[in-house]
Amino acid sequence: MAWSARKITARYLTRRLLAGVAASFFVLLGLGFWYAYEKLPRLPGVPKAPVVGVPAGALDHRPAPAYAGDHPRKSGRPAEYFPFPIAIGETGPVETLFAGPSSYPFLCGENAVTELQPLVDNHNGEGVPVFSLDEAGNKSDEVIGYSRDCSHATSVAYFYRSTLDGNFHPLEKAQNDIDLVTVNGQTTEFVVRLETGTINRFFYAIAALRGDGETPEKPNTSNWNKRLIYQFRGGVGVGRQQGDISSRSIIDRRADQLARGYAVVYSTANQTSNHYNIWLAEDTARRLKKQFAALYEEPLYTVGIGGSGGAIQQYLLAQNAPGVLDAALPLYSYPDMVSQTIYVFDCEPLEYFFDVVAAEDSRWQDVSEREAVIGLATRDEFEHRFRVLENAAALFDGRYRGVAKGSSECVQGWRGLVPLVNNPNFIHFSKSFADPVAKNTHWSHWEDLRDFYGAGDDGYANSAWDNQGVQYGLEALKSGRISIDEFLRMNATIGGWKAPEDQGGEKLWFMNGDLFPVDLSVWSEHNMNLGSLDNPAPRNVASVEAIEGIYRSGHVFLGDVEIPIIDVRHYLDGELDMHHSLASFSSRERIRRARGHADNQLIWMSHKKYNPLDEALDIVDHWMQKIIEHPERGVAGNRPVEATDRCFDRSGNVLAAGPNVWNGRWNQKPDGACMQRYPIHSTPRQMAGAPITGDVFKCALQPVERALAKGVYGESSAAIVERIDDMKRIFPGGVCNYNAPDLGRPKDRLFQHGGDVIIAGHLVGADYRQLPTELAQDSEPESEGQDAEVKATPVSVNGKSAGEEN
């Protein structure tokens, strides 16, 4: 009996324990669902006015040749036909002047300044619906028409800065609290005239201090310092949307400069989260400047300001269209967008290899070890922005349970952007389009610029991404940081990205309808070509015509710029931010390669707590004044003595300044004082032997035996010889020869060097310091028997980023 009692008690306790475990499980599961709902990212839902239809033929996806015309620097521009200025209540031009026909679908909405819907332009169900308003001015559910081209009437509003809270408010709400500023030697009220409307289907804005006795229709220039800022903005976009505009996007953003008397212009066509078409960006910039000049007058000069994609536009406009900008302040710059895809598309295949394929190798759990291969910055202790997703997915997928604790720039900076640029089936705001429209649209960067990349017989736009012959981890192999086995396994595994017609939907943005990440993929490995040592994955082979088209169309920064440039950035490498400091030096090296010097470009870098923008504006102003007084001296000849490279600490103190402060491995010189404080990193392609310019889309190939004979593998040559058969299977077409030019770069000169450029309305002589025959490349393709080497200069910093200490 005692034994039976004990059995009953044990069963009872066991059931209680199991019930407790089950209850705990469901409680935790419930908390997990709550946490997912509250904390994890979601995609936008269906707006009240989605795009419901497109014009006939807009989504036919026919084959198309790549662009083969003149480079924008060489080609002319048609005469303007639109009668500027656009009057209040009227609308600006819809069709571009030279950037090509409008593309559809095109998403748009309200002007947040006027709170008005776009104007009705059709009743055929094309574009977004426009709703009637009730007596209170609120939108009803009655559709009165549709807006295909998203025009808004030009409108003017006035805003003032309050002495009570320091914020801007509509002027009609002022209560004796208008702040004062001093401009042109006189004190005036800090009241800003803000004009908004549309040009080329995109919102535009013009902001300037209110002048004496002006009216909305007729602005007065009395409080303008005759200098114009063209505001550019960044982001990653694949077109097909107008973007948003608000008073904050221009007045608050440029309040300090408006207070100094600068006028500011901006268009959502100059925000790269809306598109990356540099022709459209230039077309709109020219027209917006015409609107400004027609209202005010021609400015003394125009200086660009903007970060990331806003910096890209400045570099490309300076190259393609001298005279649109007279000076540039690119912030957090890259040379261009297209060449960033070269190394960014390497990130997820490499991270998938480290996290999953080679998960049994404990060394890759130390993310600092990965830096030898990916080049980009890493940190051992770092909670990256996808950690919550991984922790949630780990309940169902064992791949996420052993991922490294730290992170890299590949993850923190770039994860999720490859699908946005490359996957025609994915766009994060697809719910803003009716299902048939979204389904039949090819969502990719390549597709948005199909007029330049061309499109194949399958109807999909061509891609410029190529990794044929790329030896991932080559520099790590040469330095002994990875073994021959690791090198071969890595390169056999990584093929690249599937063809557009073979790509499926993304599994990263799971909150778009699915609450829990049962089928999460942070790497998008289902859209990769992957292999093994026994069966190496095929590599991506880009269309040469597509690469040539993107060069010829001016979307690649070649370095040929004449205007004053101060490249300004916070040092963010230690935060694994995508805006890494290397990019400034890639631009500098392209400028040096094209012109024989980079004396018109300064690089300023600071701790993130300090913003040196106003100092940079002052130096630009001094520089421009000297050019205006003595245009015959050229840009470099007029460079002020204080216009030097420099770096700043968190308090704004200059740590070092002068011509050598940024020397380093990138230019094969001992590290300068600024480089020691803010060291730059590298990219996966540089760690595969590519140059710092980062603009080799398609490398020339050479047999493995030739690479061995030239010493490409250094002390690992013997190991390569022993595994030569494996190398030939992995690289059947050969390996990259980075001493030869990009195979996709046009062989003819894209535009002539020399002559004058227009800066601030003056002819300024171009300053080249090499013979023209020396400008195109640092080295020419090797002929038989020619073995002269021009060493590539990969840049990498071992260990933790020095930025962590600042």
Side-chain angles (χ1 to χ4, degrees), residues 40 144 394 562:
L40 298 181
I144 60 174
E562 190 70 46

Side-chain angles (χ1 to χ4, degrees), residues 8 29 61 92 104 313 396 443 660:
I8 293 172
L29 189 61
H61 306 306
Y104 301 95
Q313 293 176 78
F396 306 95
W443 303 103
N660 302 314

